[in-house]
Amino acid sequence: MRWIWIILLSTLLLHAKVNHEDVTKQAIVKIYTTAKIPNYQAPWSSSMQSFTGSGAIIEGGYILTNAHVVADQAFIEVQRYGQRKRYIAKVFAVSHQADLALLKVENEAFFKGVIPLTFGTLPEVEQRIVVYGYPMGGNTLSATIGVVSRVEHHVYAHSGESFLAVQVDAAVNPGNSGGPALSHGKIVGVVMQVITKSQNIGYLVPVSMVKHFIEDMKDGHYDGLADIGLGTQKLENPAMRRYYGLDDNISGKLINKVVHNSTLAGILKEGDILTAVDGHNIEDDGTVEFRQHEYTYFHYFIDAYQMGESVGLDIIRDKKPMHVNGLLKHTADDMYLVKTTRYDTMPSYFVYGGYIFSPLTRNLIMSTNRNRLTLSYLASKWQEKEKSEVVVLLKVLASDMSRGDNNFGMWPIDKVNGESFQNFKEFYEKINAVKDKFLVLEDKDGVKVIIDREEAQKKQAGILKKYNIEYDKSIDLREK
């Protein structure tokens, strides 16, 4: 009799496990995206591409996935596990910073019988996880098992910004993107990216970032993850520590830049030592202990706050400790001279006599190797009061009026007829305001491009027609 009970109990446990796994699979979704991909070298044109990704149904009738799965989307369809019918979906919310998106399906039949997945907590190193999704190599649902290898800050390939990420050894391949990583039946991360030419090194957007994104979107508007606008330097060098009078009991980072439009401008100064954030000690290498014996970039405790909240900072100024509060009001786009990677929008441009101008973005830098060193350097710079955006002469369309200038491309412009400008909008306005016979463009080294205004205006229509360009400027400039 005892053996009968053992066999029966084992059968019931196995049946319960099978049912639980089947319930989980019901919430896994395959995503079909058709995207309109802008051509940053020919900013008036684009191409259509189709690809697939994965997602998971969560509470509230949303599908959680990656932003890069639906970036630049023109049309989205979704398909549930075990079904062949596809349903039309729309993007409800997106964070290109955190590479996360929420989709909505209006047809309620799509959700019939499904139990939404719920969220767990930030996983521990060596914790077992299961990754679900629809990777390359087949059409049906895939499940791979692995463990958490690391939890630390990592650059998100989609945005180029650095946030907390979970490294796993579970097999992750194209098509897995957006799929959930589960532990104990709960979502602990969203599959984000993989290191190519490596052996099973994949990364998840951690559940803490997912929860932050969902909380941010509760008011119907995405504010993003804040940047406090500080340039900092490690304090590991002994001579530097002696220079600033730091003993062995003090650690932190040297503040070497306070961006002019940061909420901390006028509160913090260059030369201050940042010793703690939100009460957590900053080490000399710029890390904080977020769990016992685990360290990551000190911005971890800033990323935990929502925009509009304040974070406490401890500093040392002139060898005296101080405490200040920093209002979180700006993202990286408000701080850096070159905008972060753009999605879901066509690039800005205008054509003047066959000379094509555009604001410098990371998309534009990545679209060519031309002048990469100079432009990458500019992408690392902070905004200044007099300069918040870089403008480049993107290329010159060959014609009889541009002879000798066709080698100019991805060329940063500093002045228009001797006058500086703050951004692309002001550059465009200054171009149109020039009344002189010649338009003179100049870079920081004094190199000039000179355009005969009357000739440019006379030949503009013919040049546009020759190169099959419908509009001489992007829609954002046409709508003004």
Side-chain angles (χ1 to χ4, degrees):
M1 181 65 70
R2 179 172 175 270
W3 289 107
I4 294 174
W5 278 110
I6 292 174
I7 293 171
L8 181 60
L9 181 60
S10 299
T11 303
L12 289 173
L13 290 173
L14 180 61
H15 182 68
K17 181 179 180 182
V18 171
N19 281 342
H20 175 73
E21 289 179 350
D22 190 58
V23 167
T24 297
K25 292 176 182 177
Q26 293 292 326
I28 311 302
V29 176
K30 187 171 185 178
I31 300 171
Y32 300 82
T33 302
T34 301
K36 178 184 176 182
I37 309 297
N39 182 344
Y40 275 80
Q41 286 298 308
W44 50 86
S45 65
S46 60
S47 60
M48 303 302 291
Q49 294 182 15
S50 296
F51 43 85
T52 63
S54 306
I57 297 172
I58 61 173
E59 293 178 342
Y62 299 107
I63 299 169
L64 174 66
T65 187
N66 283 140
H68 76 257
V69 170
V70 294
D72 298 313
Q73 54 84 25
F75 183 67
I76 303 172
E77 291 181 303
V78 293
Q79 184 182 61
R80 269 180 54 189
Y81 166 75
Q83 298 184 3
R84 304 316 301 162
K85 184 175 180 179
R86 298 185 190 181
Y87 293 80
I88 296 174
K90 294 183 179 180
V91 175
F92 174 79
V94 63
S95 168
H96 291 296
Q97 273 187 304
D99 199 2
L100 292 169
L102 295 176
L103 310 185
K104 269 287 197 180
V105 178
E106 293 182 2
N107 192 331
E108 294 182 1
F110 174 78
F111 299 99
K112 186 177 180 180
V114 70
I115 298 177
L117 297 180
T118 56
F119 298 118
T121 57
L122 185 67
E124 303 280 348
V125 174
E126 297 184 14
Q127 185 169 327
R128 182 179 179 274
I129 54 103
V130 182
V131 171
Y132 288 97
Y134 293 87
M136 61 186 295
N139 296 315
T140 56
L141 181 65
S142 165
T144 55
I145 299 172
V147 297
V148 173
S149 307
R150 293 189 182 108
V151 181
E152 61 185 359
H153 270 65
H154 195 80
V155 174
Y156 284 29
H158 184 64
S159 64
E161 297 188 53
S162 179
F163 300 109
L164 193 70
V166 177
Q167 183 183 322
V168 296
D169 69 352
V172 174
N173 293 291
N176 265 125
S177 290
L182 305 182
S183 184
H184 305 296
K186 295 182 180 292
I187 297 175
V188 296
V190 175
V191 177
M192 169 177 56
Q193 61 199 47
V194 64
I195 295 181
T196 56
K197 298 181 181 180
S198 68
Q199 293 185 344
N200 294 343
I201 299 180
Y203 291 92
L204 313 176
V205 181
V207 66
S208 54
M209 292 282 287
V210 177
K211 289 179 178 178
H212 187 285
F213 167 57
I214 292 174
E215 180 67 26
D216 187 342
M217 284 304 307
K218 282 187 176 179
D219 63 357
H221 176 74
Y222 178 68
D223 295 305
L225 292 141
D227 193 306
I228 55 176
L230 297 179
T232 60
Q233 185 176 347
K234 295 179 181 180
L235 281 171
E236 295 176 306
N237 180 264
M240 179 176 285
R241 293 182 58 80
R242 290 194 298 270
Y243 179 84
Y244 285 100
L246 303 178
D247 60 35
D248 292 339
N249 296 319
I250 298 174
S251 63
K253 294 198 80 177
L254 172 68
I255 297 174
N256 55 28
K257 176 70 176 180
V258 182
V259 183
H260 78 95
N261 59 345
S262 167
T263 56
L264 291 166
I267 299 175
L268 296 183
K269 299 179 180 180
E270 295 177 10
D272 289 345
I273 308 297
L274 182 62
T275 60
V277 56
D278 198 27
H280 299 273
N281 183 63
I282 298 176
E283 303 297 328
D284 290 330
D285 63 355
T287 62
V288 290
E289 187 177 38
F290 70 99
R291 289 192 302 212
Q292 188 174 14
H293 305 309
E294 292 186 74
Y295 292 82
T296 192
Y297 179 47
F298 79 86
H299 226 275
Y300 171 85
F301 289 107
I302 297 172
D303 294 339
Y305 285 90
Q306 294 288 347
M307 201 74 75
E309 297 179 334
S310 292
V311 61
L313 303 173
D314 292 325
I315 66 168
I316 292 176
R317 177 181 297 165
D318 300 326
K319 301 181 182 180
K320 296 178 181 179
M322 296 176 58
H323 180 83
V324 301
N325 289 309
L327 176 65
L328 303 180
K329 186 179 178 181
H330 300 289
T331 65
D333 266 355
D334 301 321
M335 300 292 172
Y336 283 99
L337 191 58
V338 176
K339 300 294 186 184
T340 55
T341 312
R342 322 308 295 164
Y343 300 98
D344 304 327
T345 184
M346 291 293 288
S348 297
Y349 75 93
F350 74 93
V351 184
Y352 191 93
Y355 294 76
I356 304 170
F357 305 99
S358 182
L360 184 62
T361 62
R362 282 171 169 77
N363 305 69
L364 190 52
I365 295 173
M366 292 185 294
S367 69
T368 178
N369 288 323
R370 194 168 190 179
N371 208 12
R372 177 70 69 88
L373 188 62
T374 298
L375 300 181
S376 295
Y377 170 75
L378 291 172
S380 70
K381 304 295 287 182
W382 300 99
Q383 293 182 18
E384 302 291 347
K385 284 184 179 180
E386 65 279 1
K387 181 70 73 174
S388 62
E389 195 169 36
V390 177
V391 176
V392 296
L393 173 55
L394 177 61
K395 64 172 66 174
V396 180
L397 302 176
S399 69
D400 57 353
M401 67 164 283
S402 63
R403 287 180 301 166
D405 286 345
N406 294 329
N407 60 324
F408 280 90
M410 302 294 287
W411 182 63
I413 303 168
D414 191 54
K415 294 178 181 178
V416 176
N417 283 47
E419 295 184 0
S420 300
F421 52 89
Q422 186 175 50
N423 51 37
F424 182 64
K425 178 184 176 183
E426 188 174 330
F427 173 80
Y428 175 71
E429 291 171 349
K430 283 186 176 293
I431 291 286
N432 289 326
V434 171
K435 301 299 181 184
D436 297 339
K437 176 175 175 55
F438 295 102
L439 175 65
V440 182
L441 308 175
E442 187 176 347
D443 69 7
K444 284 187 175 296
D445 297 323
V447 178
K448 295 181 177 64
V449 168
I450 299 177
I451 304 171
D452 186 307
R453 288 181 56 252
E454 183 178 343
E455 184 181 19
Q457 293 169 4
K458 180 180 179 181
K459 296 182 177 179
Q460 170 92 328
I463 293 172
L464 293 175
K465 183 177 181 180
K466 178 187 292 186
Y467 288 93
N468 197 30
I469 302 173
E470 185 176 5
Y471 296 105
D472 65 348
K473 59 179 73 72
S474 53
I475 190 169
D476 55 319
L477 296 179
R478 299 200 303 270
E479 290 177 344
K480 293 186 183 301

Coordinates of all heavy atoms in Angstrom, one line a residue, residues 348-417:
S348 N 16.0 64.4 -39.4 CA 15.9 65.7 -39.9 C 16.9 66.1 -40.9 O 18.1 65.6 -40.8 CB 16.0 66.7 -38.7 OG 14.9 66.5 -37.8
Y349 N 16.6 66.9 -41.9 CA 17.6 67.3 -42.9 C 17.0 68.5 -43.7 O 15.8 68.8 -43.6 CB 17.8 66.1 -43.9 CG 16.7 65.9 -44.9 CD1 16.7 66.5 -46.1 CD2 15.6 65.1 -44.5 CE1 15.7 66.3 -47.0 CE2 14.6 64.9 -45.4 CZ 14.6 65.5 -46.7 OH 13.6 65.3 -47.5
F350 N 17.9 69.2 -44.4 CA 17.4 70.0 -45.5 C 18.5 70.2 -46.6 O 19.7 70.0 -46.3 CB 16.9 71.4 -45.0 CG 18.0 72.3 -44.5 CD1 18.5 73.3 -45.4 CD2 18.5 72.3 -43.2 CE1 19.5 74.1 -45.1 CE2 19.5 73.2 -42.9 CZ 20.0 74.1 -43.8
V351 N 18.0 70.4 -47.8 CA 18.9 70.5 -48.9 C 19.0 71.9 -49.4 O 17.9 72.6 -49.5 CB 18.4 69.6 -50.1 CG1 19.4 69.6 -51.2 CG2 18.1 68.2 -49.6
Y352 N 20.2 72.4 -49.6 CA 20.4 73.8 -50.1 C 21.3 73.7 -51.3 O 22.5 73.6 -51.1 CB 20.9 74.6 -49.0 CG 20.9 76.1 -49.2 CD1 19.9 76.9 -48.8 CD2 22.0 76.7 -49.9 CE1 19.9 78.3 -49.1 CE2 22.0 78.1 -50.2 CZ 20.9 78.9 -49.7 OH 20.9 80.2 -50.0
G353 N 20.7 73.8 -52.5 CA 21.6 73.8 -53.7 C 22.4 72.5 -53.8 O 23.5 72.5 -54.4
G354 N 21.8 71.4 -53.3 CA 22.5 70.1 -53.4 C 23.5 69.8 -52.3 O 24.0 68.8 -52.2
Y355 N 23.6 70.8 -51.3 CA 24.3 70.6 -50.1 C 23.3 70.1 -49.0 O 22.3 70.8 -48.8 CB 25.0 71.9 -49.6 CG 26.1 72.3 -50.6 CD1 25.8 73.0 -51.8 CD2 27.4 72.2 -50.2 CE1 26.8 73.4 -52.6 CE2 28.5 72.6 -51.1 CZ 28.1 73.2 -52.3 OH 29.1 73.6 -53.1
I356 N 23.6 68.9 -48.4 CA 22.6 68.3 -47.5 C 23.1 68.5 -46.1 O 24.2 68.1 -45.7 CB 22.4 66.8 -47.8 CG1 22.0 66.7 -49.3 CG2 21.4 66.2 -46.9 CD1 22.0 65.3 -49.8
F357 N 22.3 69.0 -45.2 CA 22.6 69.3 -43.8 C 21.7 68.5 -42.9 O 20.5 68.3 -43.2 CB 22.5 70.8 -43.5 CG 23.3 71.6 -44.4 CD1 22.6 72.3 -45.5 CD2 24.6 71.8 -44.2 CE1 23.4 73.1 -46.4 CE2 25.4 72.6 -45.1 CZ 24.7 73.2 -46.2
S358 N 22.3 68.0 -41.7 CA 21.5 67.2 -40.8 C 22.1 67.4 -39.4 O 23.3 67.6 -39.3 CB 21.6 65.7 -41.2 OG 20.8 64.9 -40.3
P359 N 21.3 67.2 -38.3 CA 21.9 67.2 -37.0 C 22.6 65.9 -36.8 O 22.3 64.9 -37.4 CB 20.7 67.3 -36.1 CG 19.5 66.7 -36.9 CD 19.8 67.1 -38.3
L360 N 23.7 65.9 -36.0 CA 24.5 64.7 -35.8 C 23.8 63.9 -34.7 O 23.5 64.4 -33.6 CB 25.9 65.1 -35.4 CG 26.9 63.9 -35.2 CD1 27.1 63.2 -36.5 CD2 28.2 64.4 -34.6
T361 N 23.5 62.6 -35.1 CA 23.0 61.7 -34.1 C 23.9 60.4 -34.1 O 24.7 60.2 -35.0 CB 21.6 61.2 -34.5 OG1 21.6 60.6 -35.8 CG2 20.6 62.5 -34.5
R362 N 23.7 59.6 -33.1 CA 24.5 58.3 -33.1 C 24.1 57.4 -34.3 O 24.9 56.7 -34.8 CB 24.3 57.6 -31.8 CG 25.1 58.3 -30.6 CD 24.7 57.7 -29.3 NE 25.7 58.1 -28.3 CZ 25.8 59.3 -27.7 NH1 24.9 60.2 -28.1 NH2 26.7 59.6 -26.8
N363 N 22.8 57.5 -34.7 CA 22.4 56.8 -35.9 C 23.3 57.2 -37.1 O 23.7 56.3 -37.9 CB 20.9 57.0 -36.3 CG 20.0 56.8 -35.1 OD1 20.0 57.5 -34.1 ND2 19.2 55.7 -35.2
L364 N 23.5 58.4 -37.3 CA 24.2 59.0 -38.4 C 25.7 58.5 -38.3 O 26.3 58.1 -39.3 CB 24.1 60.5 -38.4 CG 24.7 61.2 -39.7 CD1 24.1 60.6 -41.0 CD2 24.4 62.7 -39.6
I365 N 26.3 58.6 -37.1 CA 27.7 58.1 -36.9 C 27.8 56.7 -37.3 O 28.8 56.3 -37.9 CB 28.1 58.4 -35.5 CG1 28.1 59.9 -35.2 CG2 29.5 57.8 -35.2 CD1 28.4 60.2 -33.7
M366 N 26.8 55.8 -36.8 CA 26.9 54.4 -37.1 C 26.6 54.0 -38.5 O 26.9 52.9 -39.0 CB 26.0 53.6 -36.2 CG 26.4 53.7 -34.7 SD 25.3 52.7 -33.6 CE 23.8 53.5 -33.7
S367 N 26.1 55.0 -39.3 CA 25.7 54.6 -40.7 C 26.9 54.7 -41.7 O 26.7 54.3 -42.8 CB 24.6 55.6 -41.2 OG 25.1 56.9 -41.3
T368 N 28.0 55.2 -41.2 CA 29.2 55.3 -42.1 C 30.5 55.3 -41.3 O 30.5 55.6 -40.1 CB 29.1 56.6 -42.9 OG1 30.3 56.7 -43.7 CG2 29.0 57.8 -42.0
N369 N 31.6 55.0 -41.9 CA 32.9 55.1 -41.2 C 33.6 56.4 -41.5 O 34.7 56.7 -41.0 CB 33.8 54.0 -41.7 CG 33.4 52.6 -41.1 OD1 33.0 52.5 -40.0 ND2 33.5 51.6 -42.0
R370 N 32.9 57.3 -42.3 CA 33.5 58.5 -42.7 C 33.6 59.5 -41.5 O 32.7 59.7 -40.8 CB 32.6 59.2 -43.8 CG 33.3 60.3 -44.5 CD 32.6 60.7 -45.7 NE 33.3 61.6 -46.6 CZ 32.9 62.1 -47.7 NH1 31.7 61.7 -48.2 NH2 33.7 62.9 -48.4
N371 N 34.8 60.0 -41.3 CA 35.1 61.0 -40.2 C 34.7 60.4 -38.8 O 34.4 61.2 -37.9 CB 34.4 62.3 -40.5 CG 35.1 63.5 -39.9 OD1 36.3 63.4 -39.4 ND2 34.5 64.6 -39.8
R372 N 34.8 59.1 -38.7 CA 34.3 58.5 -37.5 C 35.0 58.9 -36.2 O 34.3 59.1 -35.1 CB 34.4 56.9 -37.6 CG 33.9 56.1 -36.4 CD 32.5 56.2 -36.1 NE 31.7 55.5 -37.1 CZ 31.4 54.2 -37.1 NH1 31.8 53.5 -36.1 NH2 30.6 53.6 -38.0
L373 N 36.3 59.1 -36.3 CA 37.1 59.5 -35.1 C 36.6 60.8 -34.5 O 36.3 61.0 -33.3 CB 38.5 59.5 -35.4 CG 39.5 59.7 -34.2 CD1 39.4 58.6 -33.2 CD2 40.9 59.9 -34.7
T374 N 36.5 61.8 -35.4 CA 36.1 63.2 -34.9 C 34.7 63.2 -34.4 O 34.4 63.8 -33.4 CB 36.2 64.2 -36.1 OG1 37.5 64.3 -36.5 CG2 35.7 65.6 -35.7
L375 N 33.8 62.5 -35.1 CA 32.4 62.5 -34.7 C 32.1 61.7 -33.5 O 31.3 62.1 -32.6 CB 31.5 61.9 -35.9 CG 31.6 62.7 -37.2 CD1 30.7 62.1 -38.2 CD2 31.2 64.2 -37.0
S376 N 32.9 60.6 -33.3 CA 32.7 59.9 -32.0 C 33.2 60.7 -30.8 O 32.7 60.6 -29.7 CB 33.5 58.6 -32.1 OG 33.0 57.7 -33.1
Y377 N 34.3 61.5 -31.0 CA 34.7 62.4 -30.0 C 33.7 63.4 -29.6 O 33.4 63.6 -28.4 CB 36.0 63.1 -30.4 CG 36.4 64.2 -29.5 CD1 37.0 63.9 -28.3 CD2 36.2 65.5 -29.9 CE1 37.4 65.0 -27.4 CE2 36.6 66.6 -29.0 CZ 37.2 66.3 -27.8 OH 37.5 67.3 -26.9
L378 N 33.0 63.9 -30.6 CA 31.9 64.9 -30.3 C 30.8 64.2 -29.6 O 30.1 64.8 -28.7 CB 31.4 65.5 -31.6 CG 32.3 66.4 -32.4 CD1 31.7 66.8 -33.7 CD2 32.6 67.7 -31.5
A379 N 30.5 62.9 -29.8 CA 29.4 62.2 -29.2 C 29.7 62.0 -27.7 O 28.8 61.7 -26.9 CB 29.2 60.8 -29.9
S380 N 31.0 62.1 -27.3 CA 31.3 62.0 -25.9 C 31.3 63.3 -25.1 O 31.4 63.3 -23.9 CB 32.7 61.4 -25.8 OG 33.7 62.3 -26.1
K381 N 31.0 64.4 -25.8 CA 31.0 65.7 -25.1 C 29.7 66.1 -24.5 O 28.6 65.7 -25.0 CB 31.5 66.8 -26.1 CG 32.8 66.5 -26.8 CD 34.0 66.5 -25.8 CE 34.3 67.9 -25.4 NZ 35.5 67.9 -24.5
W382 N 29.8 66.9 -23.5 CA 28.6 67.5 -22.9 C 28.1 68.7 -23.6 O 28.9 69.4 -24.3 CB 28.9 67.9 -21.4 CG 29.3 66.7 -20.5 CD1 30.6 66.5 -20.2 CD2 28.5 65.8 -19.9 NE1 30.6 65.4 -19.3 CE2 29.3 64.9 -19.1 CE3 27.1 65.5 -19.8 CZ2 28.9 63.9 -18.3 CZ3 26.6 64.5 -19.1 CH2 27.5 63.7 -18.3
Q383 N 26.8 69.0 -23.5 CA 26.3 70.3 -24.0 C 26.9 71.5 -23.2 O 27.2 71.4 -22.1 CB 24.8 70.3 -23.9 CG 24.0 69.3 -24.7 CD 22.5 69.5 -24.6 OE1 22.0 70.5 -24.2 NE2 21.8 68.4 -25.0
E384 N 27.0 72.6 -23.9 CA 27.4 73.9 -23.3 C 26.3 74.9 -23.5 O 25.3 74.6 -24.3 CB 28.7 74.4 -23.9 CG 29.9 73.4 -23.8 CD 30.4 73.2 -22.4 OE1 30.0 74.1 -21.5 OE2 31.1 72.3 -22.1
K385 N 26.3 76.0 -22.8 CA 25.3 77.0 -23.0 C 25.1 77.4 -24.4 O 24.0 77.6 -24.9 CB 25.6 78.2 -22.1 CG 25.3 78.0 -20.6 CD 25.6 79.3 -19.8 CE 25.3 79.0 -18.4 NZ 25.5 80.3 -17.6
E386 N 26.2 77.6 -25.1 CA 26.2 78.1 -26.5 C 26.0 77.0 -27.5 O 25.9 77.3 -28.7 CB 27.4 79.0 -26.7 CG 28.7 78.2 -26.7 CD 29.3 78.0 -25.3 OE1 28.6 78.4 -24.4 OE2 30.4 77.4 -25.2
K387 N 26.1 75.8 -27.1 CA 26.0 74.7 -28.1 C 25.4 73.5 -27.5 O 25.9 72.8 -26.6 CB 27.5 74.3 -28.6 CG 27.5 73.2 -29.7 CD 27.0 73.7 -31.0 CE 27.9 74.7 -31.7 NZ 27.5 75.0 -33.1
S388 N 24.2 73.1 -28.1 CA 23.5 72.0 -27.6 C 23.3 70.9 -28.6 O 22.8 69.8 -28.3 CB 22.1 72.4 -27.1 OG 21.3 72.9 -28.2
E389 N 23.8 71.1 -29.9 CA 23.6 70.1 -30.9 C 24.7 70.4 -32.0 O 25.0 71.6 -32.3 CB 22.2 70.2 -31.5 CG 21.8 69.0 -32.4 CD 20.4 69.1 -32.7 OE1 19.8 70.2 -32.9 OE2 19.7 68.0 -32.7
V390 N 25.2 69.3 -32.6 CA 26.2 69.4 -33.7 C 25.4 69.3 -35.0 O 24.5 68.5 -35.2 CB 27.2 68.3 -33.6 CG1 28.2 68.4 -34.8 CG2 28.0 68.4 -32.3
V391 N 25.8 70.1 -36.0 CA 25.2 70.1 -37.3 C 26.3 69.7 -38.3 O 27.5 70.2 -38.2 CB 24.6 71.4 -37.7 CG1 24.1 71.4 -39.2 CG2 23.5 71.8 -36.8
V392 N 26.0 68.8 -39.2 CA 27.0 68.4 -40.2 C 26.5 68.6 -41.6 O 25.3 68.6 -41.9 CB 27.4 66.9 -40.1 CG1 28.0 66.6 -38.7 CG2 26.2 66.0 -40.3
L393 N 27.5 68.9 -42.5 CA 27.3 68.8 -43.9 C 27.3 67.3 -44.3 O 28.4 66.8 -44.3 CB 28.3 69.6 -44.7 CG 28.3 69.5 -46.2 CD1 26.9 69.8 -46.8 CD2 29.4 70.4 -46.8
L394 N 26.2 66.7 -44.4 CA 26.1 65.3 -44.6 C 26.8 64.8 -45.9 O 27.6 63.9 -45.9 CB 24.6 64.9 -44.6 CG 24.3 63.4 -44.8 CD1 24.9 62.5 -43.7 CD2 22.8 63.2 -44.8
K395 N 26.4 65.4 -47.0 CA 27.1 65.1 -48.2 C 26.8 66.2 -49.2 O 25.9 67.1 -49.0 CB 26.6 63.8 -48.8 CG 25.1 63.7 -49.1 CD 24.7 62.4 -49.8 CE 24.8 61.2 -48.9 NZ 24.3 60.0 -49.6
V396 N 27.4 66.2 -50.4 CA 27.2 67.2 -51.4 C 26.8 66.4 -52.7 O 27.6 65.5 -53.2 CB 28.5 68.0 -51.7 CG1 28.2 69.0 -52.8 CG2 28.9 68.7 -50.4
L397 N 25.7 66.7 -53.2 CA 25.2 66.1 -54.5 C 25.9 66.7 -55.7 O 26.0 68.0 -55.8 CB 23.7 66.3 -54.6 CG 22.8 65.7 -53.5 CD1 21.4 66.0 -53.7 CD2 23.0 64.2 -53.4
A398 N 26.5 65.9 -56.5 CA 27.4 66.4 -57.6 C 26.5 67.2 -58.6 O 25.5 66.8 -59.0 CB 28.0 65.2 -58.3
S399 N 27.0 68.4 -58.9 CA 26.4 69.2 -59.9 C 27.5 70.3 -60.4 O 28.6 70.3 -59.8 CB 25.2 70.0 -59.4 OG 25.6 70.9 -58.4
D400 N 27.1 71.1 -61.4 CA 28.1 72.0 -61.9 C 28.4 73.1 -60.9 O 29.5 73.7 -60.9 CB 27.6 72.6 -63.2 CG 26.3 73.3 -63.1 OD1 25.7 73.2 -62.0 OD2 25.9 73.9 -64.1
M401 N 27.5 73.4 -59.9 CA 27.7 74.4 -58.9 C 28.5 73.9 -57.7 O 29.0 74.7 -56.9 CB 26.4 75.0 -58.5 CG 25.5 74.1 -57.7 SD 24.2 75.1 -56.8 CE 25.2 75.7 -55.4
S402 N 28.7 72.6 -57.5 CA 29.3 72.1 -56.3 C 30.7 71.5 -56.7 O 31.3 70.7 -55.8 CB 28.5 71.1 -55.7 OG 28.2 69.9 -56.5
R403 N 31.2 71.7 -57.9 CA 32.5 71.2 -58.2 C 33.6 71.6 -57.2 O 33.7 72.7 -56.8 CB 32.9 71.7 -59.6 CG 32.2 71.1 -60.8 CD 32.6 71.6 -62.1 NE 32.5 73.1 -62.2 CZ 33.0 73.9 -63.1 NH1 33.8 73.3 -64.0 NH2 32.8 75.2 -63.1
G404 N 34.4 70.6 -56.8 CA 35.4 70.8 -55.8 C 35.0 70.6 -54.4 O 35.8 70.5 -53.5
D405 N 33.7 70.5 -54.2 CA 33.2 70.3 -52.8 C 32.6 68.9 -52.6 O 32.2 68.5 -51.5 CB 32.0 71.3 -52.5 CG 32.5 72.7 -52.3 OD1 33.8 72.8 -52.1 OD2 31.7 73.6 -52.3
N406 N 32.7 68.0 -53.6 CA 32.1 66.7 -53.5 C 32.8 65.8 -52.5 O 32.3 64.7 -52.1 CB 32.0 66.0 -54.9 CG 31.1 66.8 -55.8 OD1 30.1 67.4 -55.4 ND2 31.5 66.7 -57.1
N407 N 34.0 66.2 -52.0 CA 34.7 65.3 -51.0 C 34.2 65.7 -49.6 O 34.6 65.0 -48.7 CB 36.2 65.5 -51.2 CG 36.6 67.0 -50.9 OD1 35.9 67.9 -51.3 ND2 37.8 67.2 -50.3
F408 N 33.4 66.7 -49.5 CA 32.9 67.0 -48.1 C 31.8 66.1 -47.8 O 30.9 65.9 -48.5 CB 32.4 68.5 -48.1 CG 33.5 69.5 -48.0 CD1 34.0 70.1 -49.1 CD2 33.9 69.9 -46.7 CE1 35.0 71.0 -49.0 CE2 34.9 70.9 -46.6 CZ 35.5 71.5 -47.7
G409 N 31.9 65.5 -46.6 CA 30.8 64.6 -46.1 C 31.0 64.4 -44.6 O 32.2 64.3 -44.1
M410 N 29.9 64.3 -43.8 CA 30.0 64.2 -42.4 C 30.9 65.2 -41.8 O 31.7 65.0 -40.9 CB 30.4 62.8 -42.0 CG 29.6 61.7 -42.5 SD 27.9 61.6 -41.8 CE 28.2 61.0 -40.2
W411 N 30.8 66.5 -42.2 CA 31.7 67.6 -41.9 C 31.0 68.5 -40.9 O 30.0 69.1 -41.2 CB 32.0 68.4 -43.1 CG 32.9 69.5 -43.0 CD1 34.2 69.5 -42.6 CD2 32.7 70.9 -43.3 NE1 34.8 70.7 -42.6 CE2 33.8 71.6 -43.0 CE3 31.5 71.6 -43.7 CZ2 33.9 73.0 -43.2 CZ3 31.6 72.9 -43.9 CH2 32.8 73.6 -43.6
P412 N 31.5 68.5 -39.6 CA 30.9 69.4 -38.6 C 31.0 70.9 -38.9 O 32.1 71.3 -39.3 CB 31.6 69.0 -37.3 CG 32.3 67.8 -37.6 CD 32.6 67.8 -39.1
I413 N 29.9 71.6 -38.8 CA 29.9 73.1 -39.1 C 29.9 73.9 -37.8 O 29.1 73.6 -36.9 CB 28.7 73.4 -40.0 CG1 28.7 72.6 -41.3 CG2 28.7 74.9 -40.3 CD1 27.4 72.6 -42.0
D414 N 30.7 74.9 -37.7 CA 30.8 75.7 -36.5 C 30.2 77.1 -36.7 O 29.6 77.6 -35.7 CB 32.3 75.9 -36.1 CG 32.5 76.5 -34.8 OD1 31.9 75.9 -33.8 OD2 33.2 77.5 -34.6
K415 N 30.2 77.6 -37.9 CA 29.7 79.0 -38.1 C 29.0 79.1 -39.4 O 29.3 78.5 -40.4 CB 30.8 80.0 -38.0 CG 31.5 80.1 -36.6 CD 32.6 81.2 -36.6 CE 33.3 81.3 -35.3 NZ 34.4 82.2 -35.3
V416 N 28.0 80.1 -39.4 CA 27.3 80.5 -40.7 C 27.6 81.9 -40.8 O 27.1 82.8 -40.0 CB 25.8 80.2 -40.6 CG1 25.1 80.7 -41.8 CG2 25.5 78.7 -40.4
N417 N 28.3 82.3 -41.9 CA 28.7 83.7 -42.2 C 29.2 84.4 -40.9 O 28.8 85.5 -40.5 CB 27.5 84.5 -42.7 CG 27.2 84.1 -44.2 OD1 27.2 83.0 -44.6 ND2 27.0 85.2 -45.0

